[in-house]
Protein backbone atom coordinates (compact mmCIF):
# COMPACT_ATOMS: atom_id res chain seq x y z
CA UNK A 1 0.00 0.00 0.00
CA UNK A 2 1.32 3.50 -0.80
CA UNK A 3 1.88 6.36 1.56
CA UNK A 4 0.26 9.72 0.75
CA UNK A 5 2.54 12.74 0.42
CA UNK A 6 1.20 16.28 0.39
CA UNK A 7 3.57 19.08 -0.60
CA UNK A 8 2.61 22.75 -0.07
CA UNK A 9 -0.99 21.87 -0.89
CA UNK A 10 -3.26 24.91 -1.18
CA UNK A 11 -6.83 25.47 -2.31
CA UNK A 12 -8.46 28.86 -2.63
CA UNK A 13 -12.00 29.83 -3.63
CA UNK A 14 -11.95 33.43 -4.75
CA UNK A 15 -10.50 35.33 -1.81
CA UNK A 16 -11.04 32.50 0.68
CA UNK A 17 -8.22 30.08 1.55
CA UNK A 18 -9.76 26.69 2.37
CA UNK A 19 -6.50 24.72 2.59
CA UNK A 20 -3.34 26.67 3.34
CA UNK A 21 0.09 25.35 2.29
CA UNK A 22 -0.10 21.87 3.87
CA UNK A 23 2.91 19.57 3.75
CA UNK A 24 2.40 16.15 5.38
CA UNK A 25 2.96 12.42 4.95
CA UNK A 26 0.32 9.83 5.81
CA UNK A 27 2.14 6.48 6.16
CA UNK A 28 1.25 3.43 4.09
CA UNK A 29 -1.19 1.02 5.71
CA UNK A 30 -2.16 3.57 8.37
CA UNK A 31 -5.42 5.24 9.38
CA UNK A 32 -5.17 9.03 9.51
CA UNK A 33 -8.16 10.96 10.86
CA UNK A 34 -8.56 14.51 9.64
CA UNK A 35 -10.12 16.07 12.73
CA UNK A 36 -11.35 19.57 13.31
CA UNK A 37 -14.41 21.83 13.53
CA UNK A 38 -16.75 22.53 10.62
CA UNK A 39 -15.19 24.79 8.01
CA UNK A 40 -11.55 24.05 8.88
CA UNK A 41 -10.74 22.51 5.46
CA UNK A 42 -11.00 18.75 6.20
CA UNK A 43 -13.30 17.82 3.34
CA UNK A 44 -11.55 20.08 0.84
CA UNK A 45 -8.23 18.44 1.69
CA UNK A 46 -9.73 14.97 1.30
CA UNK A 47 -11.30 15.91 -2.04
CA UNK A 48 -7.90 17.03 -3.36
CA UNK A 49 -6.42 13.69 -2.28
CA UNK A 50 -9.27 11.93 -4.11
CA UNK A 51 -8.92 14.00 -7.27
CA UNK A 52 -12.36 15.61 -6.94
CA UNK A 53 -10.80 19.02 -6.33
CA UNK A 54 -7.87 20.58 -8.18
CA UNK A 55 -5.22 22.22 -5.97
CA UNK A 56 -4.52 25.91 -6.47
CA UNK A 57 -0.88 25.09 -5.63
CA UNK A 58 1.18 22.16 -4.42
CA UNK A 59 1.06 18.44 -5.18
CA UNK A 60 -0.31 15.06 -4.09
CA UNK A 61 1.68 11.83 -4.48
CA UNK A 62 0.83 8.19 -3.73
CA UNK A 63 3.93 6.15 -2.98
CA UNK A 64 6.13 8.69 -4.77
CA UNK A 65 3.85 8.79 -7.86
CA UNK A 66 2.55 12.29 -8.60
CA UNK A 67 -1.24 12.07 -8.93
CA UNK A 68 -2.02 15.78 -8.63
CA UNK A 69 -3.66 16.01 -12.05
CA UNK A 70 -4.99 12.46 -12.37
CA UNK A 71 -8.71 11.75 -12.32
CA UNK A 72 -10.15 9.76 -9.38
CA UNK A 73 -10.47 6.64 -11.54
CA UNK A 74 -6.71 6.68 -12.24
CA UNK A 75 -5.73 7.06 -8.58
CA UNK A 76 -7.16 3.72 -7.38
CA UNK A 77 -9.09 5.23 -4.49
CA UNK A 78 -12.28 4.07 -2.83
CA UNK A 79 -14.60 6.65 -1.30
CA UNK A 80 -17.42 6.60 1.24
CA UNK A 81 -19.39 9.82 1.51
CA UNK A 82 -21.52 11.28 4.27
CA UNK A 83 -24.57 10.63 2.07
CA UNK A 84 -24.08 7.29 0.25
CA UNK A 85 -24.68 7.24 -3.50
CA UNK A 86 -26.14 3.89 -4.56
CA UNK A 87 -28.53 2.25 -6.98
CA UNK A 88 -31.77 2.25 -5.01
CA UNK A 89 -33.54 -0.28 -7.23
CA UNK A 90 -30.72 -2.84 -6.88
CA UNK A 91 -30.08 -5.22 -4.02
CA UNK A 92 -27.43 -5.02 -1.34
CA UNK A 93 -25.43 -7.76 -3.05
CA UNK A 94 -25.69 -6.09 -6.47
CA UNK A 95 -24.51 -2.73 -5.13
CA UNK A 96 -21.45 -4.31 -3.52
CA UNK A 97 -20.71 -6.46 -6.58
CA UNK A 98 -21.04 -3.72 -9.20
CA UNK A 99 -17.50 -2.21 -9.02
CA UNK A 100 -15.99 -5.71 -8.85
CA UNK A 101 -17.63 -6.69 -12.12
CA UNK A 102 -15.59 -4.01 -13.89
CA UNK A 103 -12.33 -5.49 -12.62
CA UNK A 104 -11.28 -8.04 -15.25
CA UNK A 105 -8.31 -9.19 -13.16
CA UNK A 106 -10.68 -10.93 -10.73
CA UNK A 107 -12.11 -14.39 -11.27
CA UNK A 108 -15.75 -15.12 -10.48
CA UNK A 109 -14.64 -17.02 -7.37
CA UNK A 110 -12.55 -14.06 -6.12
CA UNK A 111 -15.48 -11.70 -6.61
CA UNK A 112 -17.77 -14.05 -4.73
CA UNK A 113 -15.30 -14.44 -1.85
CA UNK A 114 -14.87 -10.69 -1.46
CA UNK A 115 -18.62 -10.10 -1.45
CA UNK A 116 -19.24 -12.84 1.12
CA UNK A 117 -16.49 -11.49 3.37
CA UNK A 118 -18.02 -7.99 3.30
CA UNK A 119 -21.55 -9.30 3.95
CA UNK A 120 -20.26 -11.38 6.87
CA UNK A 121 -18.25 -8.61 8.61
CA UNK A 122 -21.01 -6.03 8.13
CA UNK A 123 -23.67 -8.54 9.23
CA UNK A 124 -25.65 -7.96 6.04
CA UNK A 125 -26.13 -11.61 5.06
CA UNK A 126 -29.81 -11.55 5.94
CA UNK A 127 -30.38 -8.47 3.77
CA UNK A 128 -28.31 -9.46 0.77
CA UNK A 129 -31.36 -9.50 -1.54
CA UNK A 130 -33.04 -6.40 -0.08
CA UNK A 131 -33.34 -3.33 -2.31
CA UNK A 132 -31.37 -0.30 -1.16
CA UNK A 133 -34.51 1.85 -1.35
CA UNK A 134 -36.13 -0.29 1.36
CA UNK A 135 -33.29 0.12 3.88
CA UNK A 136 -32.69 2.68 6.62
CA UNK A 137 -29.82 5.17 6.39
CA UNK A 138 -27.52 3.20 8.69
CA UNK A 139 -27.81 0.02 6.63
CA UNK A 140 -27.28 1.95 3.40
CA UNK A 141 -24.09 3.38 4.85
CA UNK A 142 -22.93 -0.14 5.75
CA UNK A 143 -23.42 -1.13 2.11
CA UNK A 144 -21.44 1.93 0.96
CA UNK A 145 -18.57 0.98 3.27
CA UNK A 146 -18.68 -2.63 2.05
CA UNK A 147 -18.64 -1.60 -1.59
CA UNK A 148 -15.57 0.60 -1.11
CA UNK A 149 -13.67 -2.01 0.90
CA UNK A 150 -14.52 -4.90 -1.45
CA UNK A 151 -12.60 -3.15 -4.24
CA UNK A 152 -9.35 -3.49 -2.21
CA UNK A 153 -8.11 -0.09 -3.40
CA UNK A 154 -4.70 1.14 -2.31
CA UNK A 155 -6.33 4.17 -0.67
CA UNK A 156 -9.78 4.53 0.91
CA UNK A 157 -11.25 7.90 1.85
CA UNK A 158 -14.11 8.26 4.33
CA UNK A 159 -15.94 11.59 4.56
CA UNK A 160 -17.79 11.62 7.91
CA UNK A 161 -19.54 8.30 7.15
CA UNK A 162 -21.25 7.98 10.56
CA UNK A 163 -22.62 11.52 10.89
CA UNK A 164 -26.15 10.78 9.67
CA UNK A 165 -26.76 7.34 11.15
CA UNK A 166 -28.25 6.38 14.49
CA UNK A 167 -26.07 5.27 17.40
CA UNK A 168 -26.47 1.49 16.99
CA UNK A 169 -25.55 1.64 13.29
CA UNK A 170 -22.64 3.96 14.08
CA UNK A 171 -21.18 1.49 16.58
CA UNK A 172 -21.64 -1.36 14.10
CA UNK A 173 -19.85 0.63 11.39
CA UNK A 174 -16.93 1.42 13.69
CA UNK A 175 -16.64 -2.25 14.72
CA UNK A 176 -16.66 -3.37 11.07
CA UNK A 177 -14.19 -0.65 10.10
CA UNK A 178 -11.73 -1.86 12.73
CA UNK A 179 -12.08 -5.48 11.63
CA UNK A 180 -11.54 -4.69 7.95
CA UNK A 181 -8.63 -2.48 8.85
CA UNK A 182 -6.94 -5.31 10.79
CA UNK A 183 -7.39 -7.68 7.85
CA UNK A 184 -6.43 -5.50 4.90
CA UNK A 185 -4.09 -2.72 6.12
CA UNK A 186 -5.12 -0.25 3.42
CA UNK A 187 -4.03 3.38 3.60
CA UNK A 188 -7.05 5.23 4.96
CA UNK A 189 -7.97 8.89 5.36
CA UNK A 190 -10.99 9.37 7.62
CA UNK A 191 -12.61 12.79 7.94
CA UNK A 192 -14.50 13.47 11.16
CA UNK A 193 -15.41 16.21 13.63
CA UNK A 194 -16.00 13.57 16.33
CA UNK A 195 -12.94 13.40 18.56
CA UNK A 196 -14.04 10.11 20.19
CA UNK A 197 -14.25 8.50 16.77
CA UNK A 198 -10.80 9.83 15.85
CA UNK A 199 -9.23 8.68 19.13
CA UNK A 200 -10.76 5.21 18.65
CA UNK A 201 -9.90 4.62 14.99
CA UNK A 202 -6.74 6.53 14.13
CA UNK A 203 -3.09 5.56 14.07
CA UNK A 204 -2.48 9.28 13.80
CA UNK A 205 -4.68 12.36 13.94
CA UNK A 206 -4.14 15.36 11.70
CA UNK A 207 -5.75 18.18 13.67
CA UNK A 208 -6.91 20.97 11.37
CA UNK A 209 -7.56 24.60 12.18
CA UNK A 210 -8.28 27.35 9.64
CA UNK A 211 -6.98 25.40 6.65
CA UNK A 212 -3.78 24.15 8.27
CA UNK A 213 -2.69 21.02 10.12
CA UNK A 214 -1.69 22.28 13.55
CA UNK A 215 -0.48 18.85 14.72
CA UNK A 216 -0.18 15.37 13.25
CA UNK A 217 0.60 12.65 15.79
CA UNK A 218 -0.67 9.55 17.57
CA UNK A 219 -3.96 10.13 19.45
CA UNK A 220 -2.56 9.69 22.96
CA UNK A 221 0.41 11.97 22.27
CA UNK A 222 -1.89 14.65 20.86
CA UNK A 223 -4.14 14.42 23.89
CA UNK A 224 -1.39 14.47 26.48
CA UNK A 225 0.97 16.92 24.76
CA UNK A 226 -0.97 19.16 22.37
CA UNK A 227 1.28 21.34 20.24
CA UNK A 228 -1.19 24.21 20.31
CA UNK A 229 -3.65 25.81 22.66
CA UNK A 230 -6.30 24.98 20.07
CA UNK A 231 -5.46 21.27 20.40
CA UNK A 232 -5.71 21.46 24.16
CA UNK A 233 -9.10 23.13 23.89
CA UNK A 234 -10.57 21.07 21.05
CA UNK A 235 -9.65 17.62 22.38
CA UNK A 236 -11.29 16.54 25.60
CA UNK A 237 -14.76 16.90 27.10
CA UNK A 238 -14.34 19.50 28.42
CA UNK A 239 -11.03 20.71 27.04
CA UNK A 240 -7.93 21.78 28.89
CA UNK A 241 -7.86 24.33 31.69
CA UNK A 242 -5.68 27.31 30.72
CA UNK A 243 -4.07 29.10 33.64
CA UNK A 244 -2.61 32.60 33.57
CA UNK A 245 0.57 33.36 35.56
CA UNK A 246 0.49 35.86 38.41
CA UNK A 247 3.91 37.38 37.82
CA UNK A 248 7.37 36.41 39.00
CA UNK A 249 8.22 35.36 42.55
CA UNK A 250 11.20 33.72 44.25
CA UNK A 251 13.08 33.39 40.98
CA UNK A 252 10.19 31.70 39.16
CA UNK A 253 6.67 32.14 37.75
CA UNK A 254 3.78 32.18 40.25
CA UNK A 255 0.41 30.56 39.49
CA UNK A 256 -2.58 30.43 41.81
CA UNK A 257 -2.91 26.65 41.41
CA UNK A 258 0.71 25.77 42.27
CA UNK A 259 1.94 25.95 45.84
CA UNK A 260 5.43 26.92 44.64
CA UNK A 261 6.60 28.97 41.63
CA UNK A 262 7.59 27.21 38.40
CA UNK A 263 10.94 27.72 36.75
CA UNK A 264 10.83 30.50 34.18
CA UNK A 265 11.29 28.92 30.72
CA UNK A 266 13.54 30.47 28.11
CA UNK A 267 11.71 33.26 26.34
CA UNK A 268 10.43 34.86 29.52
CA UNK A 269 6.95 35.46 30.88
CA UNK A 270 5.30 37.22 27.93
CA UNK A 271 2.45 35.23 26.35
CA UNK A 272 2.95 32.31 28.73
CA UNK A 273 0.20 30.15 30.29
CA UNK A 274 -0.13 26.65 31.72
CA UNK A 275 -2.59 23.96 30.73
CA UNK A 276 -3.92 20.90 32.54
CA UNK A 277 -6.80 18.57 31.67
CA UNK A 278 -9.73 18.40 34.12
CA UNK A 279 -9.24 14.70 34.92
CA UNK A 280 -5.70 15.38 36.17
CA UNK A 281 -6.77 18.06 38.68
CA UNK A 282 -6.76 16.30 42.05
CA UNK A 283 -9.45 17.43 44.50
CA UNK A 284 -8.63 16.68 48.15
CA UNK A 285 -10.60 17.09 51.36
CA UNK A 286 -7.56 17.94 53.53
CA UNK A 287 -4.26 19.80 53.14
CA UNK A 288 -1.51 17.87 51.35
CA UNK A 289 1.95 18.60 49.93
CA UNK A 290 1.84 20.91 46.87
CA UNK A 291 -1.94 21.39 47.27
CA UNK A 292 -3.61 24.81 47.46
CA UNK A 293 -6.95 25.82 48.93
CA UNK A 294 -9.92 26.10 46.59
CA UNK A 295 -13.68 26.59 46.68
CA UNK A 296 -16.29 24.57 44.77
CA UNK A 297 -18.52 26.92 42.77
CA UNK A 298 -20.65 24.38 40.89
CA UNK A 299 -21.01 20.64 40.48
CA UNK A 300 -22.64 18.82 37.56
CA UNK A 301 -22.91 15.22 36.45
CA UNK A 302 -21.55 14.27 33.04
CA UNK A 303 -20.99 11.15 30.91
CA UNK A 304 -20.35 7.82 32.64
CA UNK A 305 -21.62 9.30 35.89
CA UNK A 306 -18.53 11.46 36.39
CA UNK A 307 -18.78 14.89 37.99
CA UNK A 308 -17.45 18.20 36.73
CA UNK A 309 -16.48 20.60 39.48
CA UNK A 310 -16.06 24.29 38.80
CA UNK A 311 -13.43 25.56 41.23
CA UNK A 312 -12.04 28.91 42.31
CA UNK A 313 -8.42 29.14 43.44
CA UNK A 314 -7.85 32.78 44.40
CA UNK A 315 -8.50 34.61 41.08
CA UNK A 316 -8.20 31.49 38.91
CA UNK A 317 -11.15 29.37 37.83
CA UNK A 318 -10.60 25.79 36.71
CA UNK A 319 -12.60 22.61 36.11
CA UNK A 320 -11.89 19.21 37.65
CA UNK A 321 -13.39 15.87 36.59
CA UNK A 322 -13.91 13.37 39.41
CA UNK A 323 -15.45 9.89 39.69
CA UNK A 324 -19.09 9.14 40.44
CA UNK A 325 -18.35 7.86 43.96
CA UNK A 326 -16.63 10.97 45.31
CA UNK A 327 -18.31 13.63 43.16
CA UNK A 328 -21.64 14.06 45.03
CA UNK A 329 -19.92 14.67 48.36
CA UNK A 330 -17.49 17.36 47.27
CA UNK A 331 -18.76 20.75 48.38
CA UNK A 332 -17.51 24.01 49.84
CA UNK A 333 -13.83 24.44 50.68
CA UNK A 334 -11.40 21.85 49.32
CA UNK A 335 -7.75 21.55 48.28
CA UNK A 336 -6.47 20.99 44.74
CA UNK A 337 -3.21 19.70 43.34
CA UNK A 338 -2.07 19.93 39.71
CA UNK A 339 0.71 17.36 39.16
CA UNK A 340 3.46 18.81 36.99
CA UNK A 341 3.78 15.65 34.89
CA UNK A 342 0.33 16.50 33.48
CA UNK A 343 0.97 20.22 32.96
CA UNK A 344 1.78 21.71 29.54
CA UNK A 345 3.22 25.20 29.09
CA UNK A 346 2.22 27.41 26.16
CA UNK A 347 3.47 30.70 24.79
CA UNK A 348 1.33 32.71 22.37
CA UNK A 349 -0.82 29.65 21.70
CA UNK A 350 1.98 27.12 21.05
CA UNK A 351 3.54 24.56 23.35
CA UNK A 352 6.83 25.39 25.05
CA UNK A 353 9.11 22.39 24.56
CA UNK A 354 10.62 22.68 28.03
CA UNK A 355 8.87 20.50 30.63
CA UNK A 356 7.45 22.42 33.60
CA UNK A 357 9.47 22.18 36.83
CA UNK A 358 9.62 23.92 40.16
CA UNK A 359 11.87 26.97 40.48
CA UNK A 360 15.19 26.40 42.21
Amino acid sequence: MPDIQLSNLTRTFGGMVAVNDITAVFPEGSVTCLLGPSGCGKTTLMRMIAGLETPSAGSVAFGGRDVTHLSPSRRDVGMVFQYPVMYRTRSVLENIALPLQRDRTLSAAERRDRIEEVLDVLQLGGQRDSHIGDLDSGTRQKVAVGRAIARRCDVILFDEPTTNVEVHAKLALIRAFKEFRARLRQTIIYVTHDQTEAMTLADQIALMEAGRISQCSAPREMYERPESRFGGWFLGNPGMNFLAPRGQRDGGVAFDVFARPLALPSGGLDGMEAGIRPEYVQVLSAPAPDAVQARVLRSSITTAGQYLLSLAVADTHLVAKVDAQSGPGIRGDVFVRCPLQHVVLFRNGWRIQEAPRLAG
Side-chain angles (χ1 to χ4, degrees):
M1 301 301 166
D3 61 5
I4 299 172
Q5 304 144 8
L6 311 179
S7 300
N8 305 113
L9 204 61
T10 299
R11 183 67 171 102
T12 60
F13 297 94
M16 186 191 76
V17 181
V19 172
N20 191 354
D21 194 30
I22 287 179
T23 295
V25 176
F26 304 144
E28 60 177 313
S30 68
V31 179
T32 299
C33 281
L34 301 181
L35 176 67
S38 297
C40 69
K42 305 184 300 291
T43 295
T44 301
L45 178 58
M46 189 208 68
R47 287 174 61 85
M48 287 192 286
I49 293 171
L52 299 173
E53 202 78 61
T54 302
S56 303
S59 64
V60 180
F62 292 173
R65 180 174 69 108
D66 191 333
V67 299
T68 309
H69 301 292
L70 295 184
S71 65
S73 61
R74 296 179 63 195
R75 297 189 187 202
D76 191 27
V77 295
M79 291 197 67
V80 179
F81 296 96
Q82 186 173 338
Y83 299 96
V85 179
M86 280 177 288
Y87 296 94
R88 296 174 65 88
T89 58
R90 296 197 178 195
S91 69
V92 168
L93 188 148
E94 289 171 329
N95 269 273
I96 294 173
L98 190 61
L100 301 182
Q101 292 170 355
R102 301 175 185 146
D103 188 346
R104 299 185 180 276
T105 66
L106 295 177
S107 67
E110 288 172 321
R111 292 191 190 99
R112 184 170 59 252
D113 289 345
R114 288 194 189 184
I115 293 168
E116 292 301 326
E117 179 184 31
V118 164
L119 292 173
D120 176 57
V121 173
L122 291 171
Q123 299 178 355
L124 289 171
Q127 296 166 295
R128 62 194 302 138
D129 297 320
S130 301
H131 282 183
I132 292 295
D134 298 330
L135 303 176
D136 59 58
S137 60
T139 306
R140 290 177 193 169
Q141 195 65 290
K142 279 187 180 182
V143 178
V145 169
R147 183 174 59 184
I149 288 174
R151 288 178 57 198
R152 305 280 176 88
C153 299
D154 286 344
V155 174
I156 303 183
L157 308 173
F158 293 87
D159 187 11
E160 303 203 60
T162 66
T163 298
N164 296 302
V165 301
E166 50 88 20
V167 172
H168 179 75
K170 178 175 181 174
L171 294 174
L173 278 169
I174 290 173
R175 178 198 59 80
F177 177 89
K178 293 172 76 172
E179 184 168 343
F180 278 126
R181 198 259 182 211
R183 293 187 187 194
L184 303 178
R185 302 292 298 180
Q186 291 156 303
T187 304
I188 292 171
I189 306 293
Y190 192 105
V191 172
T192 182
H193 64 270
D194 185 331
Q195 59 177 282
T196 302
E197 201 168 67
M199 295 288 286
T200 301
L201 296 176
D203 295 311
Q204 65 173 9
I205 295 174
L207 182 62
M208 294 195 65
E209 177 190 13
R212 293 182 180 271
I213 294 176
S214 63
Q215 184 174 354
C216 189
S217 61
R220 178 51 56 182
E221 178 186 350
M222 181 173 290
Y223 187 81
E224 297 288 351
R225 290 289 181 267
E227 288 294 329
S228 66
R229 193 183 198 276
F230 170 75
W233 167 80
F234 188 80
L235 288 175
N237 184 25
M240 219 171 222
N241 292 292
F242 296 102
L243 313 169
R246 300 304 179 193
Q248 294 183 244
R249 190 181 78 234
D250 300 333
V253 185
F255 289 83
D256 290 336
V257 301
F258 301 122
R260 292 180 286 171
L262 303 187
L264 183 65
S266 56
L269 189 61
D270 289 347
M272 179 185 167
E273 60 185 344
I276 186 169
R277 295 203 174 275
E279 61 268 32
Y280 296 137
V281 177
Q282 299 174 0
V283 183
L284 311 170
S285 59
D290 294 325
V292 296
Q293 193 164 8
R295 180 165 46 89
V296 178
L297 302 176
R298 289 184 304 278
S299 174
S300 59
I301 194 166
T302 183
T303 55
Q306 292 181 305
Y307 277 75
L308 288 181
L309 305 178
S310 178
L311 303 161
V313 183
D315 293 326
T316 295
H317 285 195
L318 76 162
V319 173
K321 185 182 287 187
V322 298
D323 60 60
Q325 287 71 40
S326 59
I330 301 176
R331 297 288 186 273
D333 291 333
V334 294
F335 295 85
V336 298
R337 182 165 51 203
C338 296
L340 287 187
Q341 66 265 33
H342 298 301
V343 173
V344 181
L345 299 179
F346 298 93
R347 176 175 288 110
N348 299 324
W350 293 96
R351 182 162 70 90
I352 298 172
Q353 297 305 312
E354 301 168 48
R357 57 187 178 84
L358 296 175

